[in-house]
Amino acid sequence: MKSKAKGSYLGKYREIILAVAFFLVFDLAVLVLNFYISFQISEDALAINLAGRQRMLSQRMTKALLTIESDGLRGSPGNDALAELKKTVTLFDTTLIGFQRGETVIGGDEKPAFLPAVTAPAGQETLAKTDAIWRPYKTLLAPLVSGAAYEPEHLDAANRYARDNNLKLLTLMNNLTTQLEQTANAKADTLRKVQTAGILLALLNFAFILLKFIRRLRENDRKVESAQKETAEILSTVKDGLFLLDPHFRIGSQYSKSLPRILGRNIKADEDFRILLSELVPQDTVTLACDYIELLFGNRVKEALMGDLNPLTETEVSVSGVNGNVARRFLTLQFNRVLEAGEITHLLVTVIDVTVQVELERALTVAKQKSKAEMEIMLDLLKVNPMTLEQFLKDAEKALLEVNDHLRSAGQTLNYRNTVNTIFRKIHTLKGEAASLGLEMFENLAQQFESLLAGLREKGDVSGDDLLSLPFPLEEFLQRVSMVRNLVTRLAAYHDAFAPAATDDAFAGNLTRLAQRIAQDHGKEVQLVTDLDLLDSIPQKMRNELKDIAVQLLRNAVTHGIEPTIERTGRAKPPSGNIYLALKPTEAGEYELILRDDGRGLNAQKIRAELVRSKRYTEVQLADLDDRQIVMKIFEPGFSTAGQASRDAGHGVGMDVVKSKVEQLGARLRISSREHAFTQFSIHFAT
């Protein structure tokens, strides 16, 4: 991909690229040459300066000799003049050697500097003549600058040589200075010519590049205008919303004409997409969407693997319609990376209105669920005896109408929490009856109703407005009861062939199935033994109350009493828990309903701790209660030791139902238990 792009650029802008390359190469060459000549001129300037100094040094040496001679005649030692002579001799000699061979010398600023050798023939000739004069001169000056005592004749000889040759040295150094200046001027002329030629060529090259660029720019403008026209036509006709998004969440200037209509608002170029999104979806969805977009702009994850992470798929939004009404729509926003030279520069966002598709899918799902529910209902109904089912439907309808009466009269008593608890007991009883018959639809409806009631009960204060949410599930429950009545009528001809007889043995069988189902849901094993033959001798109304009590006690025993298999085997118990449920006569002429399990038993300390943890009581309030009184708290509305609510436990209603039914029977309730051994509930009553 990169090689193709490179080839296309070379073909498209070949002339301009070559011209720019030539300009850069030529400019670099001129720059190097400029630097080289400038460096040479800098060296020539140093040489000119030192040549001028040589003229001065020759005069200073002569002056120093005359001063020494004058000081000697006056009897002065002449130390300053000797020091001056020594310094000038050394500088003149080292500088002369530097001109001849190229060496580091002391410059005019008293700092070391490299003096290149003079290469011009005229300069070399001048240096040769200077050297011929300087060597004898240097020899005559040696005794004077050595630092040792010298003879007067040494000074006389040096003075005579200086007077004879001083002018010659001065002339030679003047010639050397002039020759060096001529050389420097020639190099400066060359530099000016190079610079002038470079500027002219650069201007010509720039003019060529400018002409080519303008022509190419016009061609590109025509192509861009054509492409923009095509893009505008596409954006004006496409039905989906399209726009570009940059890494800073800014919307591009080009977007499809249908985008404002789909989103129900005007779109502005460079608008912050996060603000737009926050007007359409909840803030948590905005946060997820921003995280998803940031991942797409990164190179660490593959785009194809991120489709399932898109939080803006079939998202429900509220948009303003043409007439100003707020309409509900379902939108899907798809994000695709836009690459340029292998780098992610933008995301192409496609906004698709999938409202019709989602509504059709939901309607189809509802139809399938309804069809499936009706089929499951029919299968469940075929398993229940017609008389038993008819009795359940009557009891269910009666209980639901009583719930309706409680809701109507709640405003008269103003005790809304008591109303919630009363409704809770009736719905929970209904759920237990449905579970014992295997009517899962009614059990689920009751469970949903209970969840709504649990939310109200957990509030600090229950108001009349809180009860307004209850008529809707109540109405649905009644409609399902009516629907089942119609199905029962249609299936009446088939019940005789499939359903068992309506006997109390069937009730015992229902209890067994219920126990097995609850045990399986909680990962337990249980064996139920029943002895309920005496139910036939109990009046019908009382029998129904006893059945409700038996169902609730059985659910409590399997859920709370019987331990999981691992826990039981760890305590050397059989893997399967045992539950015994019986109705027996007593010596006092009464009846006793017994439910006994060999589970974990009741732990008063754990119940006490749960009462405090749930903030139903404080430790001070429970301090004066004994273990028996603490155990009896399990019958209070809303209290449960279950970790979380399920369809079998957790709402704290089952034992409340038992207590209410026992009071309605005028019976007495006894509890006996031993931790890790058993729990037994005994209910004594008279008919």
Side-chain angles (χ1 to χ4, degrees):
M1 179 67 73
K2 290 183 178 180
S3 61
K4 289 183 178 179
K6 183 178 179 181
S8 63
Y9 282 131
L10 286 176
K12 188 175 182 180
Y13 301 104
R14 180 179 179 182
E15 295 175 346
I16 296 177
I17 292 174
L18 291 177
V20 171
F22 172 75
F23 173 78
L24 293 175
V25 172
F26 177 77
D27 193 53
L28 181 62
V30 171
L31 184 64
V32 171
L33 185 59
N34 222 343
F35 177 79
Y36 176 71
I37 296 176
S38 297
F39 178 75
Q40 286 187 329
I41 292 175
S42 176
E43 289 183 337
D44 290 342
L46 175 65
I48 293 170
N49 182 40
L50 293 181
R53 189 180 68 178
Q54 289 292 82
R55 294 182 300 177
M56 178 191 67
L57 290 176
S58 65
Q59 300 304 307
R60 286 172 59 185
M61 283 188 290
T62 302
K63 181 180 178 181
L65 286 171
L66 294 174
T67 302
I68 293 171
E69 183 179 17
S70 175
D71 289 342
L73 293 175
R74 291 196 306 268
S76 176
N79 292 332
D80 292 340
L82 283 172
E84 173 68 12
L85 179 63
K86 183 178 180 180
K87 179 180 179 182
T88 54
V89 169
T90 302
L91 281 175
F92 189 90
D93 185 56
T94 56
T95 303
L96 183 60
I97 294 173
F99 277 123
Q100 293 172 336
R101 297 183 300 199
E103 288 188 0
T104 299
V105 299
I106 300 300
D109 56 356
E110 300 296 329
K111 295 181 180 179
F114 181 77
L115 179 63
V118 176
T119 58
Q124 290 180 345
E125 181 181 353
T126 301
L127 289 174
K129 292 178 180 180
T130 303
D131 187 65
I133 297 173
W134 173 248
R135 287 184 181 277
Y137 195 10
K138 180 180 177 182
T139 302
L140 293 173
L141 293 173
L144 300 177
V145 298
S146 64
Y150 60 88
E151 298 297 331
E153 54 269 21
H154 293 154
L155 178 60
D156 292 340
N159 273 326
R160 287 193 301 270
Y161 194 87
R163 284 193 292 269
D164 295 338
N165 296 283
N166 180 48
L167 184 57
K168 296 178 181 179
L169 281 176
L170 180 61
T171 302
L172 290 171
M173 290 300 97
N174 283 332
N175 293 338
L176 179 61
T177 302
T178 302
Q179 292 165 1
L180 291 174
E181 289 176 349
Q182 291 174 351
T183 302
N185 289 333
K187 292 179 179 178
D189 290 339
T190 302
L191 178 60
R192 284 191 292 271
K193 292 177 181 179
V194 169
Q195 291 175 340
T196 303
I199 292 173
L200 291 175
L201 290 175
L203 290 174
L204 291 174
N205 192 65
F206 177 75
F208 174 79
I209 294 174
L210 185 62
L211 292 174
K212 288 290 184 180
F213 182 76
I214 291 175
R215 189 176 69 178
R216 186 70 65 181
L217 187 61
R218 289 177 177 175
E219 294 177 359
N220 289 340
D221 286 343
R222 287 194 294 269
K223 293 179 180 179
V224 168
E225 289 174 0
S226 177
Q228 287 178 342
K229 182 178 179 181
E230 293 176 359
T231 302
E233 292 176 353
I234 293 173
L235 293 178
S236 63
T237 56
V238 68
K239 295 182 179 179
D240 298 329
L242 295 175
F243 64 91
L244 289 175
L245 190 66
D246 69 11
H248 302 291
F249 293 88
R250 298 292 178 181
I251 296 175
S253 60
Q254 300 295 318
Y255 50 84
S256 63
K257 186 178 180 180
S258 59
L259 181 62
R261 176 185 56 78
I262 295 176
L263 297 180
R265 67 186 302 278
N266 294 327
I267 305 299
K268 297 179 181 179
D270 204 36
E271 182 178 2
D272 194 322
F273 178 66
R274 291 167 292 193
I275 297 177
L276 184 149
L277 202 58
S278 63
E279 297 175 358
L280 299 175
V281 297
Q283 187 57 44
D284 55 347
T285 305
V286 175
T287 302
L288 291 174
C290 291
D291 293 341
Y292 175 74
I293 291 171
E294 289 177 352
L295 285 175
L296 282 174
F297 273 111
N299 292 317
R300 293 177 295 178
V301 291
K302 294 184 178 180
E303 180 180 357
L305 301 178
M306 295 184 61
D308 294 338
L309 301 178
N310 186 358
L312 299 178
T313 301
E314 296 184 0
T315 303
E316 184 175 357
V317 300
S318 297
V319 299
S320 299
V322 178
N323 54 2
N325 297 329
V326 177
R328 187 187 69 171
R329 289 182 184 172
F330 293 91
L331 304 180
T332 291
L333 276 69
Q334 297 177 351
F335 300 86
N336 298 99
R337 289 168 170 167
V338 178
L339 301 178
E340 184 174 339
E343 296 295 330
I344 304 170
T345 59
H346 292 82
L347 294 180
L348 175 62
V349 185
T350 306
V351 185
I352 307 172
D353 188 344
V354 293
T355 304
V356 176
Q357 175 184 343
V358 171
E359 290 178 348
L360 288 175
E361 289 178 352
R362 291 188 177 184
L364 181 60
T365 300
V366 170
K368 289 182 178 179
Q369 291 176 346
K370 184 177 180 180
S371 176
K372 181 180 178 182
E374 291 180 351
M375 181 60 68
E376 290 177 350
I377 291 171
M378 287 190 291
L379 293 175
D380 288 341
L381 296 180
L382 286 173
K383 297 184 292 184
V384 183
N385 181 271
M387 294 181 61
T388 303
L389 181 59
E390 181 63 27
Q391 185 62 46
F392 169 78
L393 294 176
K394 288 181 179 179
D395 293 342
E397 187 174 34
K398 178 182 177 183
L400 294 173
L401 291 176
E402 289 176 353
V403 169
N404 188 53
D405 292 338
H406 283 296
L407 290 175
R408 288 182 176 180
S409 61
Q412 300 174 4
T413 63
L414 299 180
N415 192 346
Y416 299 115
R417 179 171 291 278
N418 185 55
T419 299
V420 171
N421 289 332
T422 301
I423 295 174
F424 220 140
R425 285 193 293 270
K426 291 187 177 295
I427 297 299
H428 195 76
T429 301
L430 187 57
K431 184 175 75 171
E433 293 176 1
S436 67
L437 295 176
L439 298 175
E440 188 173 351
M441 179 191 69
F442 290 115
E443 185 182 6
N444 291 336
L445 282 174
Q447 174 63 25
Q448 295 171 10
F449 208 148
E450 281 189 352
S451 299
L452 185 60
L453 292 168
L456 295 179
R457 192 173 60 187
E458 291 172 0
K459 294 184 62 176
D461 294 321
V462 180
S463 65
D465 292 338
D466 295 328
L467 301 184
L468 295 178
S469 61
L470 300 181
F472 299 101
L474 177 63
E475 179 64 23
E476 183 181 2
F477 216 138
L478 285 168
Q479 288 179 358
R480 293 297 178 91
V481 171
S482 176
M483 181 186 69
V484 171
R485 279 187 181 278
N486 294 332
L487 288 175
V488 168
T489 302
R490 292 160 57 188
L491 296 173
Y494 302 97
H495 269 294
D496 294 338
F498 295 98
T503 65
D504 290 313
D505 289 339
F507 175 64
N510 291 337
L511 292 178
T512 300
R513 285 190 295 272
L514 176 62
Q516 295 298 330
R517 197 270 298 163
I518 297 174
Q520 184 177 7
D521 289 349
H522 292 78
K524 301 178 180 181
E525 297 180 22
V526 66
Q527 295 292 331
L528 174 64
V529 177
T530 60
D531 184 2
L532 301 173
D533 293 340
L534 288 179
L535 275 177
D536 291 336
S537 61
I538 303 297
Q540 181 66 43
K541 182 177 180 181
M542 185 174 289
R543 187 189 312 169
N544 292 337
E545 303 290 352
L546 290 174
K547 287 182 178 181
D548 291 339
I549 293 173
V551 169
Q552 300 303 332
L553 289 177
L554 178 63
R555 291 163 68 95
N556 181 75
V558 179
T559 305
H560 296 285
I562 301 300
E563 312 94 324
T565 303
I566 297 177
E567 184 178 340
R568 290 183 63 85
T569 55
R571 298 187 181 278
K573 288 184 176 183
S576 178
N578 295 307
I579 300 177
Y580 175 67
L581 177 62
L583 179 64
K584 293 184 177 182
T586 65
E587 295 179 355
E590 296 180 329
Y591 289 93
E592 180 183 16
L593 179 65
I594 302 171
L595 187 139
R596 180 185 180 95
D597 67 72
D598 65 344
R600 55 171 59 98
L602 295 172
N603 187 316
Q605 296 302 320
K606 291 183 178 180
I607 296 174
R608 186 187 298 269
E610 181 61 27
L611 287 169
V612 174
R613 189 199 66 78
S614 62
K615 298 181 180 180
R616 301 176 69 87
Y617 296 93
T618 65
E619 294 183 359
V620 175
Q621 291 173 324
L622 299 177
D624 296 333
L625 301 183
D626 57 25
D627 288 349
R628 183 188 65 81
Q629 291 173 311
I630 290 295
V631 168
M632 294 304 293
K633 295 293 183 182
I634 65 175
F635 294 99
E636 288 193 357
F639 176 72
S640 176
T641 58
Q644 59 182 5
S646 66
R647 62 173 174 170
D648 300 308
H651 291 308
V653 187
M655 302 309 289
D656 180 26
V657 171
V658 171
K659 180 183 177 183
S660 177
K661 296 290 184 182
V662 169
E663 291 174 351
Q664 292 176 20
L665 289 173
R668 303 182 306 280
L669 173 64
R670 295 178 182 176
I671 304 175
S672 58
S673 179
R674 188 167 71 246
E675 191 173 4
H676 305 310
F678 74 93
T679 299
Q680 177 172 310
F681 293 88
S682 300
I683 299 172
H684 295 259
F685 62 93
T687 58

